[in-house]
């Protein structure tokens, strides 16, 4: 339910950001995230749980669409790529934090039951998002496109310093004037002109997910438990930590090694890891070592 709703939310995020602005959309997006977390924490039946997950999914989808957009529009060109990597790094840190949060809750009931506490904790980052965007500057590019010139200049001054206002305003004006290319729509994605780049982009995302990462992240605790690992939650936290470590390594190598070689190495490694994980549970000869192999393959 959450993932299906996130797909819907990701389609609406860009339109909302264009209509209401980037910071206001973040604040509006906190509403379904907060309500979704509360509903799942207090749910007394499956229907309420599904509605809560539906709202949380919509909120996640909207955020996933506008975070990269907002970062690209407020970042100086010389650090735009680095800030994009920081976004991915903190997604991995968020996954790790969620896994680590289960360690104390597994020993001490919080709220009503342990799982209620886990869902309830999601309210905190949602509130922080809403409060944080109250003090964050609006995208100068969006303000400029809306004809709010004085507000765009004020936002630029907040982001880069008042001395850079004329320079950035000049860049915004020339960017708008210099483009003779008509804006592409959804239908254009399927035209002959773009099919190669669209196919590569879509296939990369598809295979990234289909390679098993969702199974690894969502069900790592169950995998470790079935392999006989004593502390399954701690083992899952190790997976989150390795995820963060991998992102840091990729960020540092990306500009030196190139994107393609890293993708080839990464997908090959994932294939080998999933094969090892599968064999650890299906080959009887490996049964005595299934716990260790499960952790190694998953990490």
């Amino acid at each position: 339910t959450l993932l299906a709703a996130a797909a819907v939310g990701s389609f609406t995020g860009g339109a909302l950001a264009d209509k209401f602005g980037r910071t206001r959309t973040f604040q509006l997006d906190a509403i379904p995230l907060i309500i979704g977390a509360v509903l799942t924490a207090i749910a007394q039946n499956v229907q309420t749980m599904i509605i809560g997950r539906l709202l949380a999914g919509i909120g996640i989808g909207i955020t996933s669409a506008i975070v990269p957009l907002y970062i690209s529009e407020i970042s100086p060109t010389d650090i735009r790529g680095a800030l994009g990597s920081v976004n991915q790094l903190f997604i991995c840190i968020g996954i790790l934090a969620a896994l680590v949060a289960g360690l104390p809750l597994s020993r001490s009931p919080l709220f009503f039951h342990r799982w209620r506490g886990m869902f309830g904790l999601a309210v905190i980052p949602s509130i922080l998002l809403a409060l944080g965007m109250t003090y964050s500057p609006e995208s100068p590019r969006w303000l400029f496109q809306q004809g709010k010139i004085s507000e765009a200049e004020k936002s630029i001054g907040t982001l880069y310093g008042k001395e850079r206002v004329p320079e950035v305003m000049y860049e915004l004006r020339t960017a708008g004037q210099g483009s003779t290319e008509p804006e592409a729509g959804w239908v254009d994605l399927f035209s002959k002109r773009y099919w190669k780049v669209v196919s590569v982009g879509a296939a990369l995302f598809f295979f990234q997910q289909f390679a098993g990462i969702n199974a690894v992240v969502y069900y790592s605790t169950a995998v470790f438990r079935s392999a006989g690992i004593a502390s399954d939650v701690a083992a899952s936290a190790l997976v989150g930590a390795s995820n963060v470590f991998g992102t840091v390594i990729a960020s540092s190598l990306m500009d030196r090694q190139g994107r393609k070689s890293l993708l080839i190495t990464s997908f090959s490694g994932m294939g080998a890891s999933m094969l090892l994980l599968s064999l650890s549970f299906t080959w009887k000869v490996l049964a005595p070592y299934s716990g260790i192999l499960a952790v190694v393959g998953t990490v």
Side-chain angles (χ1 to χ4, degrees):
T1 302
L2 180 125
L3 292 174
V8 174
S10 66
F11 277 106
T12 60
L16 289 171
D18 286 341
K19 183 176 178 61
F20 299 109
R22 291 24 171 171
T23 55
R24 180 61 56 85
T25 302
F26 275 119
Q27 291 173 315
L28 291 172
D29 186 42
I31 296 171
L33 289 170
I34 292 169
I35 296 174
V38 171
L39 286 178
T40 48
I42 66 172
Q44 299 298 322
N45 53 57
V46 176
Q47 289 80 4
T48 306
M49 175 68 74
I50 290 175
I51 293 170
R53 296 297 277 170
L54 192 73
L55 289 169
I58 290 171
I60 290 168
I62 293 172
T63 304
S64 66
I66 61 175
V67 164
L69 175 68
Y70 182 68
I71 289 175
S72 68
E73 290 184 344
I74 67 167
S75 306
T77 52
D78 53 337
I79 60 167
R80 192 165 293 159
L83 285 177
S85 298
V86 167
N87 174 42
Q88 181 59 36
L89 173 63
F90 274 84
I91 289 173
C92 295
I93 290 174
I95 293 170
L96 174 60
L99 292 167
V100 170
L103 291 171
L105 290 178
S106 64
R107 291 187 293 270
S108 170
L110 189 66
F111 296 102
F112 313 101
H113 299 286
R114 288 176 297 196
W115 62 267
R116 294 188 186 277
M118 288 295 295
F119 281 124
L121 283 173
V123 171
I124 297 172
S126 305
I127 292 173
L128 290 174
L129 174 67
L131 291 176
M133 296 316 293
T134 304
Y135 300 99
S136 297
E138 182 54 86
S139 160
R141 183 178 297 277
W142 181 81
L143 291 169
F144 181 80
Q145 289 171 344
Q146 300 299 308
K148 301 177 180 180
I149 305 303
S150 60
E151 292 180 42
E153 291 175 342
K154 183 180 178 181
S155 179
I156 293 166
T158 304
L159 285 165
Y160 315 127
K162 291 182 179 178
E163 67 280 357
R164 290 200 61 188
V165 170
E167 174 193 344
V168 178
M169 285 300 295
Y170 175 77
E171 289 175 2
L172 290 174
R173 288 192 181 96
T174 53
Q177 294 167 357
S179 177
T180 57
E181 190 79 17
E183 191 168 330
W186 283 100
V187 178
D188 295 308
L189 291 177
F190 303 98
S191 66
K192 188 176 180 181
R193 181 180 181 183
Y194 298 117
W195 78 268
K196 283 186 179 179
V197 68
V198 171
S199 299
V200 170
L204 277 174
F205 277 102
F206 175 81
F207 286 118
Q208 180 196 21
Q209 300 301 314
F210 213 65
I213 184 61
N214 279 339
V216 165
V217 172
Y218 291 160
Y219 302 111
S220 55
T221 303
V223 167
F224 292 134
R225 189 177 297 144
S226 65
I229 303 296
S231 180
D232 44 27
V233 179
S236 294
L238 178 62
V239 174
S242 65
N243 197 11
V244 173
F245 179 73
T247 306
V248 172
I249 295 297
S251 300
S252 62
L253 292 177
M254 201 181 300
D255 291 327
R256 282 184 289 163
Q257 299 295 324
R259 279 66 158 158
K260 189 176 173 180
S261 61
L262 283 177
L263 283 169
I264 292 170
T265 305
S266 179
F267 276 111
S268 301
M270 283 195 287
S273 300
M274 296 303 287
L275 180 62
L276 178 64
L277 190 58
S278 302
L279 293 176
S280 70
F281 286 105
T282 54
W283 278 16
K284 290 183 179 179
V285 69
L286 296 175
Y289 315 103
S290 62
I292 296 171
L293 292 175
V295 173
V296 171
T298 310
V299 169

